[in-house]
Amino acid sequence: MRWRKHTNQIIGFLVVLPSILLIAVFVYGFIGRALWASLTDWGKDPSQALALNPVTRFIGLQNYRELFTGFIDGRFRQDMVSTVFFTVFFLAGCLLFGLLLAVLIDHKPRGEALFRGIFLFPFALSFVVTGTIWRWLLQPGGGVNALPTLVGLRPATFDWLTSRQQVWRFDWNDLPVIIGLLAALTLAAVAVVARRAQRRRRAVGFALASAAVLGLAVGVAPGWRPLPFPELHGFNLAFIGIIIAAVWQMAGYTMALYLAGLTGIPEELREAAVVEGANDWQLYTRIILPLMAPITLSAMIVLGHISLKIFDLVFAMAGPDNAWTDVPALLMFITTFRGNQFAKGAAIGMILLALVAMIIVPYLRSQLRKGVRE
Amino acid sequence: MNRPGSLFLAAALASLFVTAPARAQDKLEIFSWWAGDEGPALKALIDLYSKKYPGIQVINSTVTGGSGVNARAVLKTRMLGGDPPDSFQVHAGQELIGTWVVANRMEDLSELFNSEGWTTQFPKGLIALLSARNGIWSVPVNIHRSNVMWYVPANLKKWGVSPPKTLDEFLATCKTLQGKGVQHPLALGENWTYNHLWESVALGVLGPEDWSALWTGKLKFNDPKAVKVWATFAQVLDFANPDASGLSWQQATDRMLKGNAAFNVMGDWAAGYMATTLKLKPGEGFGWEASPGTGGVFMMLSDSFGLPKGVKHRDAALKWLRELGSKEGQDTFNPLKGSIAARLDSDLSKYNAYLQSAAKDWKTSKVVGSLAHGAVAPEAFASQFGTVMEIFLASKNAEAAANAAQAIADQVGLGK
Amino acid sequence: MTASGTHGRWRWLMYLVLCLAVSFFLMPVYMMVVTALKDPAEISLDTAWQLPSVWNWASFADAWQAFLPKLRNSLILTVTASATSAMLGSLNGYVFAKWPFPGAKIVFALILFGMFIPYQAILIPLFGFIRAIGLYGTIWGLVVVHTVYGLPITTLIFRNYYTEIPDSLIEASALEGAGFFKIYRYVVFPLSLPGFVVVVIWQFTQIWNEFLFAVSLSNPASQPITVALAQLAGGEAVRWNLPMAGALLAALPTLLVYVVFGRYFVRGLLAGSVKG
C-alpha cells in the first residue's frame, strides 16, 4: 500500500500546485513588489511619481526611519498607538460580549433561533454599511445622544467620532522603556507558566531573558530617544464609537463560534458536574470556559487580523480626514493615493504586514507543531 | 454541413461584414467623481456631446465617495498601469500640474486654446494658473469662488449690524453680536471647512500678491507675515461653534440660516444648496459678501478636463474638450451645477442672481487660486496640510503651525 | 441542557439581558429603516428617532433602480467566486488533511499567510497584473481576484473540517482499491456539506460586500453593487434616505443566505472548522 500512499501524495501535490502558484504570484509576488517599492524614494520626486516608467532610487530603510522618527509623520505614530488600543478593546468587547451571548443562548431560552439570528445578522452587513449607519447614529447632535430624551432626560453630550480628547497619554520617547517593561513582563509570565508545567529549563531560560530585558529597559532604554522633541500619544476617545460599531458587527460571529464549542461539550460532562454539586456559575467558570480556550484563540486570530487591517469601517464612519480616528490602513491609502507617496505608503503597508505576522506566525507554528489534529 | 446550412452561414457572415462599419462605434471614456446632485449637470453636458456626435458612445466612469479619494485611487492605479481614461476630471492648477504634468503624462493644449480662441475668452489670471512649462494643460469647465461669506440679510438687520468688509471689522462685528446673544457668530463645519476658512483668512491677511508668493516659494510659511495668518485665524476661530467637527458643511450653513450663527464662510456651492435645495431667493433669503479682507479678489477653484498622453480615443477626447470650452457647453453645464462659466462671454440670462453677481466679479476682480481645492498647491502638499491644521488646533501655537507648514513645503519642494 | 434549564429563579434575568442585547443590535436597524422611509426634508438631527410622517417608499425604488443593473454583476461575481474558491478549498483541504506530501505543513502555512495581507498594499501591482492578462474591467477579473484571495481561508476551513474524518474511513476505501479522486468523490465529498455551508456563507458575505477591488478593477459595465451603493452616498449633499435604503437592499441577499443556511452554519462550525 505504500506506493499507493506515495502516488496519492504526488497527486495531492499536483492538485494543490495551481493554488500554490496563484498564491505565490498574488500574495508573495505582490508583497515583494511592495517591499521593494518601500525601499525606494518613489513619490518624493513629483516628476517621477506618476510617470509612465518611474525612475526611482534605492534608499534603504529611510522611509521606515522617517515614519518612526520623522517630524511630519507623527500621525503615523499615533495610528500605531491607536491600533493597539483599538485591537485590545475590540477583541475584549467581541470575546466578552460573544461569550456572554453564547452562554445565555446555551440556556435554551424560548425563541432561541430568533435570538441567534438577530445577534448574528450584523455580520452579514458590509463594514461600509455598518459604518454609514453608525456614523449617522453617533452624530453629536442627534442619534444616540438623543436617546436619553426618549425617557425625559437631557440629551447626552459626548462628541463620539468628532471628539478631540485623548487619555492615557505618554511620550513617544518613553516608548522604548514601556516596550521593554512589557516585554520583560511577558517573558516573566511565560517563565512562570513553564515552571508550572514542570519545564525547568524553559522556565529558567525565560526568566533569564526577562531579567535581561528588564535590565535593558531600565538601564539603557531611557537614554535612547527616538525623537528630538516630546510627542504625546494616547487613546483617542473618538475610537469609542468605532469600537462600538465594530463589536456590534462581530460579536455575533464570536457568539456563533462559542456556541459551536458549547454544543460540542458532551452532555455527560455537564451532568457529572451537576451531580458533584456544581451550580451554574461554577459549571461555567471551572469546566466549560477552560474548554473554550482553543476557540478563544481562533477568534482572537480572526478578530485580530480584522482589527489590524481595519479600513472600510473607519473610512465610512469618519472619512479620510479625521486625524483622531485615523488607522494605519487608512493612512496608507491616503498617503499612496492622495499624497502620491507610493514608497512611504508601501512602507506603512509592510509595517502593517509585520504586525499581523507577529501574531499569526507564532499561531501557525504552534498549529504545525501539533501536526494534523484528529 | 448541408447545403442550405452552409448557405445560411455564408449569408450570415456576409451580413456581418456589411453591417460592420455601422457597428464600429467610436468611444469616449470620461472619468469623474461627480455624482448625486452634480450628476445632472454632467449628464446634460454628455447629452449635448452625444447630440453633436451621435456615432460616439460615451462611457461615464464616475467614482464617488470618500471626498474624491476613491476616484483618485482608481485613476492613479489606472494611470500607473498605463490605461488612462480618455479624459478625467481634475481641479485646474497644481493638482493637475504638480501630479500629472511634471510626470509628463498630459498633452499640451496650447494649440487647442489658440485655435478655439480661448486665450482671450478666459481671464488672464485663470490662464496663468492653468499654465506651466510653456504649456496649457486643462480646459476649465466651471469656476467656483472660495472666498465668500454668507449671511441672512434680515437677521443682520435684526441685530443691527452690517456685513463686515475687513478682518478687523469682522472681529469687531462678531464681538458685538456676542453681546446681542449670538454666542457663536461664525458657523463652521468639519475638517476641510477649517482649511477653507483658513485660506480666506490668509488671503485677507496677506493680500493677493503675498498669497501667490507663498506658492511660488518666494514667501516662506514661517515668515512673520505668514505667521500672523495663524494668529488671526485663532482669533476668528474664537467666534466659531465648538461642535464644528460634527457638522457637514451644509449643516453649518443651516446654522447660519436658522439664526444660530450670523456668518458662514463657504464656497459658492453653498449658493446652489441654498437656492436649489432649500429654495431660498438669492439676495433675500441669503446674502453674500467677499470674505473679510478679500474684496476685489476672486479666489477660484475650477473643475477641468485634460488630455492624457496615449489615450485610446484621442479625437473623441479632443471633441469633448472643445465642447467643454465652448459657450454652449459651459452655459449648459454651469446653471445646473451652480457655478459660473470660465468664459467671459457667458450668457448670464441663464444664471440666477448670485451667479450673475459672481460672474461680474469674475470679470473685474484679481484672480488667485485656492489651496483647499487644488489650484495653487500640489497634492503632496495639500494632502499633508491637514496635519498642519491639526497641529495648530491642538496647540493653538502659530509658530508651530507655521514651521510645520514650511517643513512640508520643503519636503515636497514647493515652488520649484 | 438539562442542568441550566432548571434554574428558574434567574431565568428572568437571562431574558432581561437578552432583550437588552436585542435592542442594542436592532437599534441601528430601526434607525436605518426609519431614515430610509423619510422624505429628505424630514431628515434632521433633531427628529432622528421619530417615525416618518409619510412613508416614502421612493427611496427604496430609487436605490433599487440604481442597483438593478449592478445586481447581475454582483450575483455572477459572488456565486462564481464563492463556488470556485470553495471547490478549490475543498480539494486543497482534502490534500492537506489526508494526503500531506513532504513539506505540506510549510506550504499550508505559506498559503494561510495570504489571508492576512492588507489589500491596499498590493493594489497597484495587482492592477498591473490583471490588466496584463487582459481581464481588467471585466467581472472575470474580479472573479479571479476573489477566488485567489479566498483560497487561504477556504483551505483552512476545509482542512480543519476534514481532519475530523477518521483516517480509518480513508484507509478502508483505499484497501478496496479506491484512488485519490475516488476517495474524494465517494467518501469525503458527501460528508462535506456543513463545511461547504460555512465556507460559502463566509465567502458570499466577504465577496458580496467587498469594495476596494470592486471599485478599482471594474468599469461601469462590470461594477458590483457595493460601488453603486457608494455612489448613492457620494456627492456634496448627502440625503441620507437613499444610502440607508441602498444599504438595506444590499444587505438582503447575505441575510437571505443566513436565514436559509443558518441552521447548518453552527453545525458546520461545530465540526471543527475554525477550532484552534
Side-chain angles (χ1 to χ4, degrees):
Chain A
M1 286 298 111
R2 193 142 327 145
W3 69 265
R4 184 136 270 157
K5 185 164 169 227
H6 273 196
T7 328
N8 284 335
Q9 284 185 345
I10 295 177
I11 301 180
F13 176 73
L14 290 175
V15 164
V16 182
L17 192 60
S19 300
I20 297 179
L21 291 174
L22 285 173
I23 297 284
V25 170
F26 279 78
V27 174
Y28 294 99
F30 294 159
I31 290 181
R33 295 273 302 268
L35 181 61
W36 173 251
S38 77
L39 299 174
T40 67
D41 67 347
W42 189 16
K44 290 222 201 296
D45 180 5
S47 69
Q48 290 304 320
L50 280 142
L52 200 48
N53 293 306
V55 171
T56 56
R57 286 179 313 142
F58 180 80
I59 57 171
L61 296 174
Q62 189 178 327
N63 285 321
Y64 295 93
R65 241 176 293 149
E66 276 175 21
L67 282 173
F68 283 105
T69 62
F71 170 58
I72 300 294
D73 293 296
R75 184 165 163 174
F76 169 74
R77 294 188 282 276
Q78 176 57 45
D79 288 355
M80 286 282 113
V81 173
S82 295
T83 294
V84 170
F85 281 115
F86 175 72
T87 305
V88 167
F89 287 119
F90 171 58
L91 249 58
C94 283
L95 290 174
L96 289 173
F97 203 20
L99 184 60
L100 173 69
L101 292 174
V103 165
L104 285 176
I105 295 202
D106 192 44
H107 282 76
K108 297 268 188 266
R110 278 212 285 200
E112 174 190 343
L114 180 65
F115 282 119
R116 249 206 338 256
I118 292 179
F119 297 146
L120 198 52
F121 110 86
F123 180 61
L125 302 172
S126 81
F127 272 126
V128 174
V129 169
T130 305
T132 309
I133 305 172
W134 278 97
R135 176 187 200 156
W136 179 247
L137 278 173
L138 293 177
Q139 283 220 294
V144 168
N145 276 350
L147 269 180
T149 59
L150 293 176
V151 285
L153 296 169
R154 265 184 315 162
T157 53
F158 185 51
D159 286 330
W160 296 108
L161 298 170
T162 61
S163 163
R164 288 220 159 90
Q165 290 175 282
Q166 197 178 60
V167 296
W168 303 333
R169 304 182 109 179
F170 62 93
D171 183 0
W172 185 258
N173 285 314
D174 293 333
L175 201 57
V177 178
I178 297 179
I179 293 185
L181 287 174
L182 282 175
L185 255 163
T186 320
L187 289 170
V190 176
V192 166
V193 167
R195 181 81 163 67
R196 280 232 197 107
Q198 303 296 348
R199 302 182 57 183
R200 265 300 151 67
R201 271 198 304 178
R202 236 177 103 121
V204 171
F206 274 100
L208 282 175
S210 170
V213 172
L214 187 63
L216 276 174
V218 174
V220 175
W224 180 39
R225 303 178 65 80
L227 296 172
F229 50 87
E231 191 180 79
L232 289 178
H233 295 291
F235 174 54
N236 291 335
L237 290 187
F239 266 100
I240 294 182
I242 304 197
I243 295 169
I244 294 179
V247 170
W248 181 81
Q249 177 131 19
M250 298 301 291
Y253 180 72
T254 319
M255 173 201 74
L257 289 179
Y258 277 125
L259 259 184
L262 287 172
T263 24
I265 295 181
E267 188 66 30
E268 303 87 54
L269 199 58
R270 291 186 191 239
E271 281 172 2
V274 171
V275 161
E276 303 226 355
N279 63 24
D280 212 33
W281 175 255
Q282 285 170 328
L283 173 69
Y284 275 98
T285 49
R286 293 279 177 76
I287 298 181
I288 294 188
L289 277 190
L291 285 175
M292 296 288 103
I295 295 189
T296 305
L297 188 60
S298 283
M300 280 175 67
I301 301 297
V302 172
L303 294 173
H305 107 269
I306 290 179
S307 139
L308 286 172
K309 289 193 330 186
I310 195 118
F311 172 72
D312 287 338
L313 183 66
V314 180
F315 197 55
M317 280 186 91
D321 286 312
N322 189 343
W324 299 89
T325 56
D326 202 28
V327 288
L330 190 52
L331 184 63
M332 168 171 57
F333 194 64
I334 306 179
T335 307
T336 307
F337 292 112
R338 202 164 69 175
N340 303 333
Q341 301 296 313
F342 296 101
K344 198 167 243 185
I348 300 179
M350 290 296 107
I351 295 176
L352 259 185
L353 193 59
L355 269 183
V356 170
M358 272 193 335
I359 301 183
I360 297 304
V361 168
Y363 169 70
L364 285 178
R365 283 184 60 201
S366 75
Q367 283 299 289
L368 295 180
R369 238 188 249 134
K370 283 193 202 139
V372 172
R373 284 171 53 98
E374 54 80 35
Chain B
M1 207 182 291
N2 52 32
R3 271 198 131 212
S6 48
L7 215 51
F8 176 72
L9 189 60
L13 281 173
S15 70
L16 260 181
F17 282 108
V18 164
T19 56
R23 280 169 48 185
Q25 231 191 0
D26 200 3
K27 291 206 187 110
L28 171 72
E29 189 193 10
I30 50 176
F31 185 90
S32 74
W33 62 80
W34 279 318
D37 283 343
E38 300 134 328
L42 180 61
K43 192 160 178 312
L45 207 48
I46 295 179
D47 288 341
L48 193 65
Y49 182 87
S50 296
K51 239 194 310 196
K52 224 176 180 173
Y53 307 107
I56 304 184
Q57 182 199 8
V58 179
I59 305 174
N60 181 5
S61 302
T62 312
V63 177
T64 44
S67 37
V69 181
N70 288 331
R72 292 211 177 97
V74 177
L75 179 66
K76 285 171 191 175
T77 308
R78 285 184 59 171
M79 294 288 277
L80 282 172
D83 180 33
D86 295 317
S87 189
F88 58 86
Q89 172 201 1
V90 65
H91 282 132
Q94 283 301 319
E95 188 176 293
L96 168 67
I97 297 174
T99 306
W100 301 108
V101 175
V102 297
N104 205 12
R105 301 300 302 265
M106 307 295 292
E107 288 201 32
D108 182 8
L109 300 174
S110 311
E111 220 185 277
L112 183 65
F113 268 66
N114 285 327
S115 67
E116 298 291 309
W118 290 336
T119 40
T120 47
Q121 289 301 340
F122 299 141
K124 293 258 177 296
L126 176 62
I127 303 273
L129 284 165
L130 294 172
S131 313
R133 302 175 175 208
N134 295 323
I136 309 180
W137 304 100
S138 62
V139 180
V141 180
N142 65 7
I143 300 288
H144 271 300
R145 187 175 190 176
S146 159
N147 59 327
V148 193
M149 181 180 67
W150 310 93
Y151 56 87
V152 179
N155 287 348
L156 289 196
K157 220 193 216 160
K158 184 175 70 175
W159 293 316
V161 297
S162 57
K165 298 237 181 344
T166 70
L167 279 165
D168 290 328
E169 271 177 40
F170 176 78
L171 296 172
T173 309
C174 284
K175 209 99 214 214
T176 316
L177 285 167
Q178 280 187 326
K180 303 245 166 121
V182 185
Q183 266 195 327
H184 308 291
L186 179 65
L188 192 60
E190 57 180 346
N191 314 90
W192 67 267
T193 65
Y194 279 83
N195 299 345
H196 187 103
L197 177 66
W198 185 87
E199 65 181 10
S200 271
V201 172
L203 183 60
V205 172
L206 294 172
E209 279 83 25
D210 278 341
W211 168 257
S212 305
L214 274 179
W215 309 109
T216 55
K218 289 210 190 76
L219 181 66
K220 297 247 176 275
F221 283 90
N222 43 15
D223 184 295
K225 274 195 272 187
V227 177
K228 185 157 174 289
V229 170
W230 294 99
T232 315
F233 185 57
Q235 287 178 301
V236 170
L237 278 185
D238 280 338
F239 296 112
N241 46 319
D243 64 340
S245 318
L247 301 175
S248 68
W249 72 263
Q250 294 99 326
Q251 287 166 333
T253 308
D254 287 339
R255 282 267 172 96
M256 179 268 301
L257 290 170
K258 277 208 206 98
N260 301 100
F263 306 113
N264 178 225
V265 172
M266 184 41 59
D268 59 14
W269 44 88
Y273 170 61
M274 290 186 279
T276 315
T277 314
L278 299 181
K279 310 220 182 344
L280 296 171
K281 214 157 171 257
E284 293 173 18
F286 63 93
W288 58 90
E289 189 73 49
S291 18
T294 69
V297 188
F298 195 110
M299 182 179 259
M300 70 129 240
L301 57 121
S302 161
D303 294 303
S304 63
F305 282 80
L307 182 63
K309 282 189 180 166
V311 294
K312 285 193 223 129
H313 311 104
R314 191 169 178 278
D315 282 332
L318 278 170
K319 295 190 175 108
W320 169 251
L321 293 176
R322 270 195 212 101
E323 264 327 289
L324 291 182
S326 71
K327 183 160 165 204
E328 200 190 354
Q330 302 217 335
D331 285 339
T332 307
F333 180 81
N334 285 295
L336 287 171
K337 173 97 174 48
S339 45
I340 58 173
R343 292 177 70 107
L344 296 167
D345 63 349
S346 157
D347 177 2
L348 291 182
S349 64
K350 298 196 177 156
Y351 296 81
N352 70 21
Y354 165 73
L355 293 173
Q356 289 179 355
S357 136
K360 224 174 357 148
D361 285 342
W362 177 240
K363 288 199 191 120
T364 55
S365 306
K366 192 160 199 314
V367 171
V368 297
S370 154
L371 158 69
H373 305 279
V376 288
E379 286 183 309
F381 181 88
S383 151
Q384 295 194 72
F385 190 72
T387 309
V388 179
M389 183 59 70
E390 282 299 325
I391 292 179
F392 179 72
L393 291 174
S395 66
K396 286 291 182 348
N397 184 337
E399 289 281 345
N403 286 330
Q406 188 54 40
I408 298 181
D410 291 332
Q411 194 189 62
V412 306
L414 196 62
K416 296 213 181 60
Chain C
M1 297 296 105
T2 54
S4 3
T6 55
H7 295 261
R9 253 194 325 152
W10 293 106
R11 234 164 144 73
W12 67 267
L13 181 63
M14 171 189 78
Y15 279 108
L16 177 66
V17 177
L18 278 172
C19 285
L20 283 174
V22 166
S23 44
F24 171 65
F25 276 96
L26 289 186
M27 167 185 74
V29 181
Y30 168 77
M31 190 57 116
M32 262 175 93
V33 173
V34 161
T35 310
L37 288 172
K38 278 186 182 159
D39 198 72
E42 228 192 307
I43 301 176
S44 79
L45 292 174
D46 316 317
T47 59
W49 290 102
Q50 293 168 11
L51 286 170
S53 55
V54 180
W55 289 44
N56 174 26
W57 294 99
S59 20
F60 281 101
D62 290 343
W64 178 249
Q65 275 218 332
F67 274 4
L68 199 49
K70 317 294 182 191
L71 196 62
R72 186 173 163 273
N73 291 335
S74 273
L75 276 174
I76 297 179
L77 166 65
T78 311
V79 170
T80 317
S82 301
T84 320
S85 58
M87 207 52 235
L88 285 175
S90 171
L91 283 168
N92 291 344
Y94 170 54
V95 172
F96 286 118
K98 294 305 172 198
W99 302 113
F101 48 87
K105 280 193 216 166
I106 304 211
V107 172
F108 179 60
L110 287 176
I111 291 183
L112 207 51
F113 189 69
M115 196 170 125
F116 302 109
I117 57 171
Y119 294 133
Q120 300 88 348
I122 46 98
L123 187 62
I124 296 181
L126 178 65
F127 175 84
F129 184 83
I130 294 292
R131 185 154 179 277
I133 59 176
L135 286 181
Y136 168 70
T138 66
I139 275 291
W140 307 109
L142 281 173
V143 170
V144 167
V145 169
H146 281 294
T147 304
V148 174
Y149 289 116
L151 280 176
I153 185 74
T154 58
T155 305
L156 170 68
I157 292 179
F158 273 115
R159 181 264 197 185
N160 282 356
Y161 183 72
Y162 287 148
T163 55
E164 302 287 320
I165 297 182
D167 284 343
S168 46
L169 218 59
I170 308 290
E171 274 165 24
S173 263
L175 276 172
E176 292 181 24
F180 181 91
F181 288 104
K182 280 234 177 67
I183 296 181
Y184 179 77
R185 189 159 160 224
Y186 292 111
V187 178
V188 174
F189 187 72
L191 293 175
S192 308
L193 180 59
F196 269 102
V197 169
V198 175
V199 163
V200 165
I201 285 188
W202 178 271
Q203 283 295 84
F204 192 92
T205 313
Q206 296 299 103
I207 300 173
W208 183 267
N209 289 328
E210 197 275 333
F211 179 70
L212 183 67
F213 290 149
V215 79
S216 318
L217 298 175
S218 66
N219 61 22
S222 59
Q223 276 171 3
I225 59 162
T226 40
V227 185
L229 182 57
Q231 313 285 64
L232 282 181
E236 281 175 348
V238 182
R239 282 173 274 164
W240 287 103
N241 59 320
L242 270 183
M244 292 292 173
L248 275 170
L249 285 181
L252 279 182
T254 39
L255 286 179
L256 215 66
V257 170
Y258 265 54
V259 166
V260 170
F261 292 108
R263 278 179 295 149
Y264 301 101
F265 184 55
V266 175
R267 214 189 290 173
L269 286 179
L270 161 68
S273 7
V274 203
K275 249 192 348 214

